[in-house]
Coordinates of all heavy atoms in Angstrom, one line a residue:
E1 N 0.8 -1.2 0.0 CA 0.0 0.0 0.0 C 0.8 1.3 0.0 O 0.3 2.4 -0.2 CB -1.0 0.0 1.2 CG -0.3 -0.1 2.5 CD -0.2 -1.5 3.0 OE1 -0.2 -2.5 2.2 OE2 -0.1 -1.7 4.3
N2 N 2.1 1.1 0.3 CA 3.0 2.3 0.3 C 3.7 2.5 -1.0 O 4.5 3.5 -1.1 CB 4.1 2.2 1.4 CG 3.4 2.2 2.8 OD1 2.4 2.9 3.0 ND2 4.0 1.6 3.8
I3 N 3.5 1.7 -2.0 CA 4.2 1.8 -3.3 C 3.9 3.2 -3.9 O 4.7 3.8 -4.5 CB 3.8 0.7 -4.3 CG1 4.4 -0.6 -3.8 CG2 4.2 1.0 -5.7 CD1 3.9 -1.8 -4.5
A4 N 2.7 3.7 -3.7 CA 2.3 5.0 -4.3 C 2.7 6.2 -3.5 O 2.4 7.3 -3.8 CB 0.8 5.0 -4.5
D5 N 3.4 5.9 -2.4 CA 3.9 7.0 -1.5 C 5.4 7.3 -1.8 O 6.3 6.5 -1.5 CB 3.8 6.6 -0.1 CG 4.3 7.7 0.9 OD1 4.6 8.8 0.4 OD2 4.4 7.3 2.1
E6 N 5.6 8.4 -2.5 CA 7.0 8.7 -2.9 C 8.0 8.7 -1.7 O 9.1 8.3 -1.8 CB 7.0 10.1 -3.6 CG 8.4 10.6 -4.0 CD 8.4 11.9 -4.6 OE1 7.3 12.4 -5.0 OE2 9.5 12.5 -4.8
K7 N 7.5 9.2 -0.6 CA 8.4 9.3 0.6 C 8.8 7.9 1.2 O 9.7 7.8 2.0 CB 7.8 10.1 1.7 CG 7.5 11.6 1.2 CD 6.9 12.4 2.4 CE 6.7 13.8 1.9 NZ 6.0 14.6 3.0
S8 N 8.1 6.9 0.8 CA 8.4 5.5 1.3 C 9.5 4.8 0.5 O 10.0 3.8 1.0 CB 7.1 4.7 1.3 OG 6.1 5.2 2.1
W9 N 9.9 5.4 -0.6 CA 11.0 4.8 -1.4 C 12.3 5.4 -0.9 O 12.4 6.5 -0.5 CB 10.8 5.1 -2.9 CG 9.7 4.4 -3.5 CD1 8.3 4.6 -3.4 CD2 9.8 3.2 -4.3 NE1 7.6 3.7 -4.1 CE2 8.5 2.8 -4.7 CE3 10.9 2.5 -4.8 CZ2 8.2 1.7 -5.6 CZ3 10.6 1.4 -5.7 CH2 9.3 1.0 -6.0
E10 N 13.3 4.6 -1.0 CA 14.7 5.0 -0.6 C 15.6 4.8 -1.8 O 15.6 3.8 -2.5 CB 15.2 4.1 0.5 CG 14.4 4.2 1.8 CD 15.0 3.3 2.9 OE1 16.2 2.9 2.8 OE2 14.2 2.9 3.8
T11 N 16.4 5.9 -2.1 CA 17.3 5.9 -3.3 C 18.7 5.9 -2.8 O 19.0 6.7 -1.9 CB 16.9 7.1 -4.2 OG1 15.6 6.9 -4.8 CG2 18.0 7.2 -5.3
A12 N 19.6 5.1 -3.5 CA 21.0 5.1 -3.2 C 21.8 4.8 -4.4 O 21.4 4.0 -5.2 CB 21.3 4.1 -2.0
P13 N 23.0 5.4 -4.6 CA 23.8 5.1 -5.7 C 24.7 3.9 -5.5 O 25.2 3.7 -4.3 CB 24.6 6.4 -5.9 CG 24.8 6.9 -4.5 CD 23.5 6.5 -3.8
F14 N 25.0 3.2 -6.5 CA 26.1 2.2 -6.4 C 27.4 3.0 -6.4 O 27.8 3.6 -7.4 CB 26.0 1.2 -7.5 CG 24.9 0.2 -7.5 CD1 23.7 0.5 -8.0 CD2 25.1 -1.0 -6.8 CE1 22.6 -0.4 -7.9 CE2 24.0 -1.9 -6.7 CZ 22.8 -1.6 -7.3
P15 N 28.2 2.9 -5.3 CA 29.4 3.8 -5.2 C 30.4 3.6 -6.4 O 31.0 4.6 -6.8 CB 30.0 3.3 -3.9 CG 28.9 2.8 -3.1 CD 28.0 2.1 -4.1
T16 N 30.6 2.3 -6.9 CA 31.5 2.1 -7.9 C 31.1 2.7 -9.3 O 31.9 2.7 -10.2 CB 31.8 0.6 -8.1 OG1 30.6 0.0 -8.4 CG2 32.4 0.0 -6.8
T17 N 29.9 3.1 -9.4 CA 29.4 3.7 -10.7 C 29.3 5.2 -10.7 O 29.0 5.8 -11.7 CB 28.0 3.1 -11.0 OG1 27.0 3.7 -10.1 CG2 28.0 1.6 -10.9
K18 N 29.5 5.8 -9.5 CA 29.2 7.3 -9.4 C 30.1 8.1 -10.4 O 31.3 8.0 -10.4 CB 29.5 7.7 -8.0 CG 28.4 7.2 -7.0 CD 28.6 7.8 -5.6 CE 28.4 9.3 -5.5 NZ 28.5 9.8 -4.1
N19 N 29.4 8.9 -11.2 CA 30.1 9.9 -12.1 C 31.2 9.2 -12.9 O 32.2 9.8 -13.2 CB 30.8 11.0 -11.3 CG 29.7 11.7 -10.4 OD1 28.7 12.1 -10.8 ND2 30.1 11.9 -9.1
S20 N 30.9 8.0 -13.4 CA 32.0 7.2 -14.0 C 31.7 7.0 -15.5 O 32.7 7.1 -16.3 CB 32.1 5.8 -13.3 OG 30.9 5.1 -13.4
Q21 N 30.5 6.6 -15.9 CA 30.2 6.3 -17.3 C 28.8 6.8 -17.6 O 28.0 7.0 -16.7 CB 30.3 4.8 -17.6 CG 31.7 4.2 -17.3 CD 31.8 2.8 -17.6 OE1 31.3 2.3 -18.6 NE2 32.4 2.0 -16.7
W22 N 28.5 6.9 -18.9 CA 27.2 7.3 -19.4 C 26.4 6.0 -19.4 O 26.3 5.4 -20.5 CB 27.3 7.9 -20.8 CG 27.9 9.3 -20.8 CD1 29.2 9.6 -20.3 CD2 27.4 10.5 -21.3 NE1 29.4 10.9 -20.5 CE2 28.3 11.5 -21.1 CE3 26.1 10.8 -21.9 CZ2 28.1 12.8 -21.5 CZ3 25.9 12.1 -22.3 CH2 26.9 13.1 -22.1
W23 N 25.8 5.6 -18.3 CA 25.1 4.3 -18.2 C 23.8 4.4 -19.0 O 23.0 5.3 -18.8 CB 24.8 4.0 -16.8 CG 26.1 3.9 -15.9 CD1 26.5 4.8 -15.0 CD2 27.0 2.9 -16.0 NE1 27.7 4.4 -14.5 CE2 28.1 3.2 -15.1 CE3 27.2 1.7 -16.7 CZ2 29.2 2.4 -14.8 CZ3 28.3 0.9 -16.5 CH2 29.3 1.3 -15.6
M24 N 23.5 3.4 -19.8 CA 22.5 3.4 -20.8 C 21.4 2.3 -20.7 O 20.2 2.5 -20.9 CB 23.0 3.3 -22.2 CG 24.0 4.4 -22.6 SD 23.2 6.0 -22.5 CE 22.1 6.0 -23.9
Y25 N 21.8 1.1 -20.2 CA 20.8 0.0 -20.2 C 21.3 -1.0 -19.2 O 22.4 -1.3 -19.0 CB 20.7 -0.6 -21.6 CG 19.5 -1.5 -21.8 CD1 18.3 -1.0 -22.2 CD2 19.6 -2.9 -21.5 CE1 17.2 -1.8 -22.4 CE2 18.5 -3.7 -21.7 CZ 17.3 -3.1 -22.1 OH 16.2 -3.9 -22.3
C26 N 20.2 -1.6 -18.5 CA 20.5 -2.5 -17.4 C 19.7 -3.8 -17.6 O 18.5 -3.7 -17.8 CB 20.2 -1.8 -16.0 SG 20.5 -2.9 -14.6
L27 N 20.4 -4.9 -17.4 CA 19.7 -6.2 -17.4 C 19.9 -6.9 -16.0 O 21.0 -7.3 -15.7 CB 20.3 -7.1 -18.5 CG 19.7 -8.5 -18.5 CD1 18.2 -8.5 -18.8 CD2 20.5 -9.4 -19.5
P28 N 18.9 -7.1 -15.2 CA 19.0 -7.9 -14.0 C 19.1 -9.3 -14.3 O 18.3 -9.9 -15.1 CB 17.7 -7.6 -13.2 CG 17.1 -6.3 -13.9 CD 17.6 -6.4 -15.3
L29 N 20.1 -10.0 -13.8 CA 20.4 -11.4 -14.1 C 21.3 -12.0 -13.1 O 22.3 -11.4 -12.6 CB 21.1 -11.5 -15.5 CG 21.5 -12.8 -16.0 CD1 20.2 -13.6 -16.4 CD2 22.4 -12.7 -17.2
D30 N 20.9 -13.3 -12.7 CA 21.8 -14.0 -11.8 C 23.0 -14.6 -12.5 O 23.0 -15.7 -13.0 CB 21.0 -15.1 -11.1 CG 21.7 -15.9 -10.1 OD1 22.9 -15.5 -9.8 OD2 21.2 -16.9 -9.5
V31 N 24.0 -13.8 -12.7 CA 25.2 -14.2 -13.5 C 25.9 -15.4 -12.9 O 26.2 -16.4 -13.6 CB 26.2 -13.0 -13.6 CG1 27.5 -13.4 -14.2 CG2 25.6 -11.8 -14.4
D32 N 26.2 -15.4 -11.6 CA 27.0 -16.4 -11.0 C 26.2 -17.6 -10.3 O 26.7 -18.3 -9.6 CB 28.0 -15.8 -10.0 CG 27.3 -14.9 -9.0 OD1 26.0 -14.8 -9.1 OD2 28.0 -14.3 -8.2

């Protein structure tokens, strides 16, 4: 019921990606 509440979401950057590349596309996948 909180999905529609913007304040209930938490945002955080992946530290190793910060200001590093022009990231364009992401695929979630269990690689290993």
